[in-house]
């Protein structure tokens, strides 16, 4: 039931994910953070099989951090996304694959460009201007297609995200009550209320 | 008993030295010189080929192959060229290792390997031979001239002990003391790649044994950015080297020039 959205704009990427942790029909908590900060300019929203998600996200987080410590600079978003995809693809071909879907958003400080990658549990990856995972995707992608602007300011970007969240709240049978929203730009990562 | 601490790579002498490593470095200081210089818009490598007997068949090296046709300068990855000084057979094995390491990085991260990371990979291997015994260390020093988005143009040097360091301009091989002091004198901050080419050729002509430079004695390569800001490595072929030397007034006089190496008319710089 996880829902996550992400969209790029002028020099930033916004990543949003619901905060519900559920098991079967029971809502366990409503303040779960499903967006990991992998490096100073990199975010990853994860969803999928409970257990797999946290395990895989922490594995990625630690390895990206290790690269940063070893080399003094962090992996750039395209390289980090490629490595994450590779990890998922290798996992898929193992005895017990991870079933995790990801949105990786980052700001490349060497080329000054935002990057967003849509990755699914099969190891499919594509660089996109906006993306969604989960049931939210059915309602939001058409909205994003209509309203997304790669040159939009942060305020305009957040307004577009707001539209998506409202549409999900209006139409989805079981709608999440809260979302966590994080923005990554040249200054790094920050969390915003929506 | 003078050889007590000589024969094994991993044993310290009472003065705390590793003789085999020092001997390996000695081997390098007899090899043909390799000079590198870094500028804000490119890196330059030049190397002296030592033995060129008249009967050595170099006809295969006339054309330009992807990895460089020479003995001293090689393409390690699309963003890095390497210059080697020392035992050629050891160097070939290290170059193979470097190319593999670079491709492994490309496979894992879908990006060209950062220059320092490649230098580290080779140094990890070289350092291993100073600690795990029974074998001889690599008798090779390398210069890495490369580009990556993190630190842009870079020049690194590594030696048989596994030490590496970054430089604005440096050299390895025979007469490296003379060449270093010449580089110190003439290197300026913020030089362009054209200045770096001139500097390297000038230092080369002053440190090499022979009075005139020619493509049969010299290897040359540059790394710059192309129109799309992608790194572009260029290892010069013999005709291009002769044309370059001619341009800088360092070439042989026409009557001395080898009959076998005329400048083809379709070759431009």
């Amino acid at each position: 039931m996880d829902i996550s959205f992400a969209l790029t704009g002028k020099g930033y990427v916004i990543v949003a994910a619901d905060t519900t942790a559920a098991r079967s029909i029971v809502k366990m908590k409503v303040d779960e953070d499903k967006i990991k900060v992998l490096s100073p300019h990199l975010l990853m929203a994860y969803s999928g099989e409970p257990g797999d998600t946290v395990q895989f996200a922490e594995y990625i987080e630690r390895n990206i951090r290790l690269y940063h410590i070893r080399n003094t600079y962090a992996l750039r978003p395209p390289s980090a996304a490629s490595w994450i995809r590779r990890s998922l693809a290798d996992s898929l071909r193992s005895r017990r694959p991870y079933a995790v879907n990801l949105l990786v958003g980052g700001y490349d400080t060497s080329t000054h460009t935002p990057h967003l990658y849509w990755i699914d549990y099969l190891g499919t990856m594509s660089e996109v201007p906006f993306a969604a995972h989960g049931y939210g995707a059915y309602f939001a992608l058409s909205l994003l297609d209509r309203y997304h602007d790669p040159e939009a300011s942060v305020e305009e970007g957040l307004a577009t995200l707001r539209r998506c969240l409202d549409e999900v709240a209006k139409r989805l049978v079981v709608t999440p009550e809260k979302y966590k929203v994080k923005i990554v730009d040249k200054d790094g990562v920050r969390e915003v209320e929506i | 008993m003078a050889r007590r601490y000589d024969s094994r790579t991993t044993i310290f002498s009472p003065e705390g030295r590793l003789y085999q490593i020092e001997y390996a470095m000695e081997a390098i200081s007899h090899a043909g010189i390799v000079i590198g210089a870094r500028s804000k818009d490119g890196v330059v490598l030049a190397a002296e080929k030592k033995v060129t007997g008249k009967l050595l068949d170099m006809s295969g090296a006339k054309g330009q192959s992807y990895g460089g046709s020479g003995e001293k300068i090689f393409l390690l990855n699309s963003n890095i060229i390497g210059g080697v000084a020392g035992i050629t057979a050891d160097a070939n094995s290290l170059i193979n290792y470097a190319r593999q390491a670079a491709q492994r990085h490309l496979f894992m991260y879908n990006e060209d390997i950062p220059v320092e990371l490649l230098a580290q990979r080779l140094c990890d291997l070289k350092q291993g031979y100073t600690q795990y015994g029974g074998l001889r260390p690599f008798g090779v020093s390398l210069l890495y001239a490369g580009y990556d988005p993190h630190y842009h143009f870079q020049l690194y040097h590594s030696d048989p002990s596994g030490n590496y360091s970054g430089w604005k301009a440096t050299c390895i091989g025979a007469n490296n003391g003379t060449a270093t002091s010449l580089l110190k004198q003439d290197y300026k901050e913020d030089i362009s790649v054209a200045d770096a080419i001139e500097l390297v050729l000038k230092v080369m002509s002053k440190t090499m044994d022979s009075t005139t430079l020619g493509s049969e004695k010299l290897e040359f390569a540059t790394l710059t950015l192309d129109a799309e800001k992608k790194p572009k490595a260029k290892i010069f072929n013999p005709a291009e080297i002769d044309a370059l030397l001619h341009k800088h007034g360092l070439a042989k006089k026409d009557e001395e020039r080898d009959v076998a190496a005329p400048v083809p008319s379709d070759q431009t710089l």
Side-chain angles (χ1 to χ4, degrees), chain A residues 14 154 158 161 179-183 190-194:
Chain A
I14 301 173
V154 174
L158 286 171
L161 177 65
Y179 291 90
K180 209 176 248 303
V181 182
K182 293 182 187 181
I183 299 179
R190 65 179 188 276
E191 196 181 326
V192 292
E193 291 298 321
I194 193 154

Side-chain angles (χ1 to χ4, degrees), chain B residues 58 60-65 67-71 73-74 219 235-238:
Chain B
M58 294 298 287
K62 287 288 181 213
Q64 192 163 16
S65 76
S69 53
E71 311 161 20
I73 292 178
F74 299 87
E219 282 186 41
I235 298 176
F236 286 53
N237 66 33

Side-chain angles (χ1 to χ4, degrees), chain A residues 128-184:
Chain A
V128 286
F130 52 81
H133 271 306
Y135 286 122
Y138 296 110
F139 305 100
L141 283 178
S142 55
L143 279 167
L144 285 164
D145 192 40
R146 172 68 184 79
Y147 291 105
H148 177 262
D149 174 11
E151 293 297 309
S153 67
V154 174
E155 290 70 33
E156 291 170 311
L158 286 171
T160 308
L161 177 65
R162 183 81 256 178
R163 282 179 192 275
C164 300
L165 303 189
D166 288 346
E167 190 66 15
V168 171
K170 188 175 177 185
R171 296 292 175 188
L172 188 62
V173 181
V174 275
T175 177
E177 61 195 76
K178 258 182 74 190
Y179 291 90
K180 209 176 248 303
V181 182
K182 293 182 187 181
I183 299 179
V184 58

Side-chain angles (χ1 to χ4, degrees), chain A residues 9 27 38 49 58 194:
Chain A
K27 205 180 266 183
L38 299 181
E49 183 72 19
E58 282 180 357
I194 193 154

Side-chain angles (χ1 to χ4, degrees), chain A residues 71-73 79 82-83 86 110, chain B residues 108-111 114 117 150:
Chain A
N71 298 293
T72 68
Y73 48 81
S79 320
S82 297
W83 181 77
R86 169 118 265 129
S110 56
Chain B
M108 285 294 280
Y109 300 102
N110 192 28
E111 68 166 4
L117 197 56
H150 301 286

Side-chain angles (χ1 to χ4, degrees), chain B residues 157-209:
Chain B
H157 162 236
S158 74
D159 67 23
S161 67
N163 269 327
Y164 75 93
S165 42
W167 297 83
K168 292 168 182 170
T170 189
C171 62
I172 48 176
N175 290 328
N176 66 71
T178 331
T180 305
S181 55
L182 278 169
L183 285 171
K184 250 187 234 165
Q185 251 174 49
D186 294 342
Y187 186 85
K188 303 213 170 43
E189 299 290 328
D190 297 327
I191 55 171
S192 69
V193 71
D195 298 332
I197 290 172
E198 197 177 343
L199 171 69
V200 162
L201 284 178
K202 204 179 102 187
V203 174
M204 202 59 154
S205 71
K206 283 189 180 166
T207 43
M208 270 168 67
D209 300 332

